[in-house]
Amino acid sequence: MDTSDVTSTVGDLEAQNMKLKKSPPFSLERFHISEDYGFLLPDPLKELSDYYMPWMEIAYNLPVMIESHQLRVRVDVMPLLSCHLLKGHKEQYLAHLLLSSITMGYVWQEGENNIPKVLPRNLALPLVEVSRTLGLPPILVHSDLVLANWKKKDPDGNLDTIVSLPGGESLKGFILVTLLVEKAAVPGIKALAQAINAVLQPSDDDLLQALKQLKTSIAEMTKALRQMHDYVDPAIFYAAIRIFLSGNQTVREIWNKEDSKRNSKFSWKDNPAIPEGLIYEGVSEEPLKYSGGSAAQSTVFHAFDELLGVCHSKESTTFLHRMREYMPPSHRAFIEEVHSAPSLREYILSSGSCLLCEAYNQCVATLAELRSYHISIVAKYILTGAAKAKDGGLGHLPGPPQALAERGTGGTTVFCFLRSVRDTTLGRIIDPSD
């Protein structure tokens, strides 16, 4: 072999090694997380092929069909369609959004009256089929309602939902404000990756910059959440929206110790109005058990907790880990990867850097502030809504679901859960004297 060939080969290897050294070991791309949108689905599709027109015609008119009590009639005569023509993950996510939204409407069309025990096969089979493909449960979850349920309304950047349920502008506001919270988290998600890389390939300067960016991002999430007051009416949320989402009573039920021991899975049973669960016709002869959507299904908070080393109580951890079953598989894998990374908190403690310690503490304190504000939001939309219901201040709206109201208009257990999560977050602040 010519010596020039050897020299060239050695040079190529050195160049490759330099490239590898420059590549960060922890990247968002591996988990299909967008640099621009974070956990949001970038530019979701709004339509499927004409073959799936029966799904779209129903899903895009759910509020009218539910309020006119015609949804079940339409679903019962809907043709049984296969998911084999769905091309790519965006079509699959849209199909899951359509079918899971139709499912919530079908079950709760009459409120707590005349709740069906069976989801018809023409809805159950395709919902379960696409759910298995995506690795999601066959029910409406956070990734449906928020992450994949948005579109640009006009060139000015105003947003709208793709699918809606009863609740009008308040439901739309609830979904889009939650979406804005997710969008505000994007710089924090990128900062999380930067922080892990700064620990894996030690760089205190990079880590300090990442922590500052993370703190700013969490503060922006709180700022975005404040818009909930502008767009969501507490009475409408309490009386009209909550039953279709069923997130709050899920926390109340499952966080309860005795309930956690009794049930190995989340279930429609979380709502006492449907204790037996729901039979998915053609899928199982026994009722299947799943939970409705919840903010605890947002990957953002799980990832930030894992990065900052926030360890919650046994009961809270059990609930939060179960909620991960309702996330897209790549998001669950991301959380596990963050968990498996070297401890950021231990790195900072061993560094002896006052600047890193202060920056870390600011992140933890800002996350606790976000959780405190979330508690105030829940209090307003549960307690104020309940008070209006009791005083007959709901106007044209029907009364709230009695099964939810009877479980405590104060939602005692959900507040215990939220306060516990907030307090354990604060408990991770590093005492400079240690």
Side-chain angles (χ1 to χ4, degrees):
M1 180 183 291
D2 192 291
T3 55
S4 63
D5 292 334
V6 175
T7 304
S8 176
T9 302
V10 171
D12 290 343
L13 287 172
E14 289 176 347
Q16 290 176 10
N17 287 336
M18 288 295 293
K19 186 176 181 181
L20 286 172
K21 288 179 181 178
K22 291 179 181 178
S23 301
F26 188 93
S27 68
L28 302 178
E29 185 179 0
R30 282 198 294 129
F31 304 95
H32 310 292
I33 299 169
S34 167
E35 290 274 344
D36 298 317
Y37 295 96
F39 297 114
L40 294 168
L41 182 66
D43 301 316
L45 296 180
K46 297 178 284 294
E47 293 183 348
L48 298 173
S49 66
D50 289 346
Y51 173 77
Y52 297 106
M53 188 60 69
W55 295 353
M56 292 186 285
E57 287 179 342
I58 293 175
Y60 296 149
N61 292 284
L62 283 174
V64 173
M65 290 188 183
I66 292 170
E67 289 162 11
S68 64
H69 305 279
Q70 291 300 305
L71 176 59
R72 290 179 187 168
V73 175
R74 287 292 301 272
V75 170
D76 287 341
V77 298
M78 184 178 74
L80 173 60
L81 305 178
S82 169
C83 295
H84 74 283
L85 293 181
L86 296 173
K87 299 176 181 178
H89 72 283
K90 285 194 174 182
E91 289 196 5
Q92 292 163 352
Y93 272 112
L94 178 55
H96 198 275
L97 169 63
L98 301 179
L99 294 169
S100 60
S101 298
I102 294 171
T103 295
M104 302 308 279
Y106 189 91
V107 171
W108 301 115
Q109 173 181 288
E110 305 298 331
E112 294 177 329
N113 302 313
N114 191 26
I115 299 171
K117 295 183 178 180
V118 178
L119 195 67
R121 65 188 300 116
N122 53 355
L123 178 54
L125 286 175
L127 174 56
V128 169
E129 183 181 354
V130 73
S131 296
R132 287 172 176 166
T133 301
L134 291 172
L136 292 171
I139 195 170
L140 186 71
V141 294
H142 178 79
S143 62
D144 297 308
L145 186 69
V146 177
L147 305 185
N149 189 23
W150 65 277
K151 61 183 178 181
K152 294 177 181 177
K153 190 176 182 179
D154 52 47
D156 295 329
N158 292 312
L159 301 176
D160 201 353
T161 57
I162 297 172
V163 176
S164 191
L165 286 159
E169 291 299 311
S170 282
L171 175 63
K172 184 184 298 184
F174 176 80
I175 294 170
L176 295 179
V177 169
T178 306
L179 181 147
L180 292 177
V181 173
E182 291 275 352
K183 187 70 169 64
V186 174
I189 297 166
K190 292 191 286 189
L192 177 152
Q194 182 183 345
I196 291 175
N197 286 323
V199 173
L200 290 171
Q201 299 176 337
S203 171
D204 287 3
D205 289 342
D206 288 349
L207 180 54
L208 184 61
Q209 179 185 354
L211 291 173
K212 288 179 178 179
Q213 183 174 318
L214 176 59
K215 183 254 184 184
T216 300
S217 178
I218 297 172
E220 288 298 311
M221 291 170 66
T222 304
K223 183 178 178 181
L225 185 58
R226 294 183 191 279
Q227 297 182 66
M228 198 71 74
H229 299 295
D230 300 324
Y231 295 102
V232 184
D233 183 284
I236 295 176
F237 177 82
Y238 189 82
I241 297 174
R242 201 159 64 115
I243 192 170
F244 290 98
L245 308 182
S246 301
N248 290 310
Q249 71 272 17
T250 300
V251 178
R252 277 204 288 277
E253 286 294 304
I254 296 175
W255 194 69
N256 179 277
K257 293 181 181 179
E258 292 183 5
D259 194 74
S260 293
K261 293 176 182 176
R262 286 196 304 268
N263 296 300
S264 60
K265 293 184 178 180
F266 293 117
S267 67
W268 292 91
K269 186 177 179 180
D270 298 334
N271 191 323
I274 184 170
E276 299 86 6
L278 187 67
I279 294 174
Y280 285 60
E281 187 179 24
V283 177
S284 173
E285 295 181 359
E286 298 296 323
L288 297 180
K289 301 177 179 182
Y290 302 100
S291 172
S294 167
Q297 295 168 3
S298 171
T299 309
V300 171
F301 297 98
H302 293 252
F304 288 175
D305 277 347
E306 293 291 356
L307 175 71
L308 297 172
V310 177
C311 303
H312 299 295
S313 69
K314 181 180 178 181
E315 293 82 6
S316 298
T317 298
T318 298
F319 170 71
L320 290 168
H321 280 205
R322 286 179 176 176
M323 283 287 96
R324 294 180 185 180
E325 299 173 15
Y326 291 77
M327 300 175 186
S330 62
H331 294 182
R332 296 198 298 267
F334 177 74
I335 296 170
E336 288 302 316
E337 190 79 1
V338 178
H339 174 76
S340 300
S343 169
L344 169 66
R345 193 170 190 274
E346 291 303 318
Y347 177 89
I348 291 172
L349 285 170
S350 63
S351 73
S353 169
C354 293
L355 288 176
L356 288 178
C357 182
E358 181 182 357
Y360 169 87
N361 282 347
Q362 287 179 354
C363 288
V364 173
T366 307
L367 181 58
E369 289 171 7
L370 171 56
R371 285 179 158 146
S372 290
Y373 194 75
H374 183 217
I375 292 171
S376 70
I377 289 284
V378 173
K380 175 178 179 179
Y381 286 93
I382 301 300
L383 299 180
T384 303
K388 286 188 177 182
K390 183 179 289 188
D391 296 339
L394 296 175
H396 66 286
L397 297 173
Q402 289 304 304
L404 302 189
E406 289 168 1
R407 305 200 75 72
T409 53
T412 305
T413 309
V414 72
F415 284 107
C416 288
F417 165 74
L418 294 174
R419 287 172 184 140
S420 172
V421 169
R422 187 266 317 276
D423 292 345
T424 51
T425 302
L426 277 173
R428 297 306 281 170
I429 288 179
I430 297 171
D431 186 343
S433 64
D434 289 347

